[in-house]
Amino acid sequence: MKKKQLAKLQQQFQPSFKSTQAKVFHMMEKKIDERYGFKIETFMQSERPDELIIRRLDLDQGAKDKEINIPLDENFTDVIKRIQNGEKSLGELFSDNLAQEVASFWPSTKGQPQTEKTTVKQGNTDATESSSEASESMKFIAFKKAIENYANFYIETDKSHYQIKEQTKTESRLLATISVQSENDYTIEPALNRKYKLKLELIPLIEAFAQTPLEDR
């Protein structure tokens, strides 16, 4: 069989983007049920194609936190396309990450309780490994420049915190805060945790700066 014919045949049998996305969501639903002890359903509405709606099925209809909405950015789309193209093991890993992130919105799970705002002291495994590449001591000027290398990212400072933000088309979105007054005291917001690629680059930077002695910043 000629290469062009083989490529065309493979393309015909490749799952669609929507079916790949649906499979990932189904895997996430199953893992949340098995690991955290509650059931969810996920769906999208035609008028809001860039937003995933997640409904917790075991909560009363009028419960304040029965549903959450998660924006789906270009990083999410890129990962789904890579899974669609057959990147080995990515679907399993990605659904694992999604399950953990979604479960963190509800603290009363059978897994390790988490809050919507996760205060990080040691960081996750990937970030900890990556942080070894960051400088042990980081000046504020260097940290600010590193953050601003990302499009629309910037830092605001008040008396108690450095605030890492992203300017979107509609709002200024808080991604993380670092204490001005104490070392190794910082918070990673859900908005940053949802940026599946960027968080692996940014969290080590945040950790490095937060761990820098105050007099060395």
Side-chain angles (χ1 to χ4, degrees):
M1 185 179 295
K2 294 181 180 180
K3 288 184 178 180
K4 288 185 178 180
Q5 291 176 318
L6 179 59
K8 186 176 180 180
L9 186 62
Q10 288 173 334
Q11 188 174 19
Q12 288 174 344
F13 282 95
Q14 185 184 66
S16 68
F17 180 90
K18 286 189 176 181
S19 66
T20 303
Q21 180 176 260
K23 183 178 179 180
V24 169
F25 290 155
H26 177 70
M27 292 168 67
M28 175 187 68
E29 292 170 356
K30 184 178 179 182
K31 289 175 180 179
I32 286 178
D33 184 18
E34 292 173 349
R35 298 175 185 177
Y36 300 98
F38 62 89
K39 295 183 182 295
I40 63 166
E41 65 175 351
T42 59
F43 57 96
M44 301 168 72
Q45 296 179 337
S46 57
E47 63 270 23
R48 290 185 290 178
D50 297 328
E51 190 171 81
L52 177 66
I53 302 172
I54 301 174
R55 178 180 295 156
R56 184 163 168 173
L57 299 179
D58 62 323
L59 296 179
D60 294 337
Q61 189 63 35
K64 183 179 180 181
D65 58 348
K66 185 174 179 65
E67 286 186 3
I68 58 174
N69 299 340
I70 298 180
L72 304 178
D73 58 16
E74 66 278 3
N75 293 319
F76 174 87
T77 301
D78 289 344
V79 174
I80 294 295
K81 286 180 179 179
R82 288 164 58 193
I83 297 170
Q84 179 188 6
N85 292 332
E87 187 165 331
K88 189 176 180 181
S89 303
L90 183 58
E92 192 70 32
L93 177 61
F94 190 48
S95 61
D96 278 344
N97 290 339
L98 283 176
Q100 182 180 351
E101 298 293 343
V102 169
S104 72
F105 282 94
W106 291 284
S108 56
T109 66
K110 74 178 182 181
Q112 183 178 357
Q114 300 181 47
T115 60
E116 183 173 350
K117 291 186 178 181
T118 305
T119 300
V120 181
K121 291 298 182 182
Q122 294 180 346
N124 60 41
T125 302
D126 289 336
T128 302
E129 291 174 354
S130 298
S131 66
S132 63
E133 299 175 3
S135 171
E136 292 182 1
S137 181
M138 180 175 289
K139 296 287 186 183
F140 175 71
I141 294 176
F143 177 63
K144 185 173 183 290
K145 184 177 180 180
I147 293 298
E148 291 176 351
N149 280 335
Y150 295 90
N152 302 321
F153 283 31
Y154 64 98
I155 295 177
E156 286 186 350
T157 307
D158 58 28
K159 292 182 179 180
S160 58
H161 291 95
Y162 303 101
Q163 297 180 334
I164 296 91
K165 295 184 176 182
E166 177 187 20
Q167 184 62 52
T168 70
K169 292 180 180 179
T170 58
E171 63 179 350
S172 177
R173 182 182 298 159
L174 182 64
L175 301 177
T177 57
I178 302 172
S179 174
V180 170
Q181 301 167 343
S182 57
E183 298 167 14
N184 203 26
D185 182 1
Y186 61 102
T187 300
I188 304 299
E189 302 291 335
L192 177 55
N193 270 319
R194 288 195 290 268
K195 293 181 176 295
Y196 308 107
K197 292 180 182 178
L198 286 182
K199 72 175 186 178
L200 298 182
E201 300 175 9
L202 284 172
I203 289 177
L205 283 173
I206 293 168
E207 287 178 335
F209 183 67
Q211 292 165 7
T212 298
L214 301 181
E215 63 271 18
D216 293 336
R217 291 180 180 178

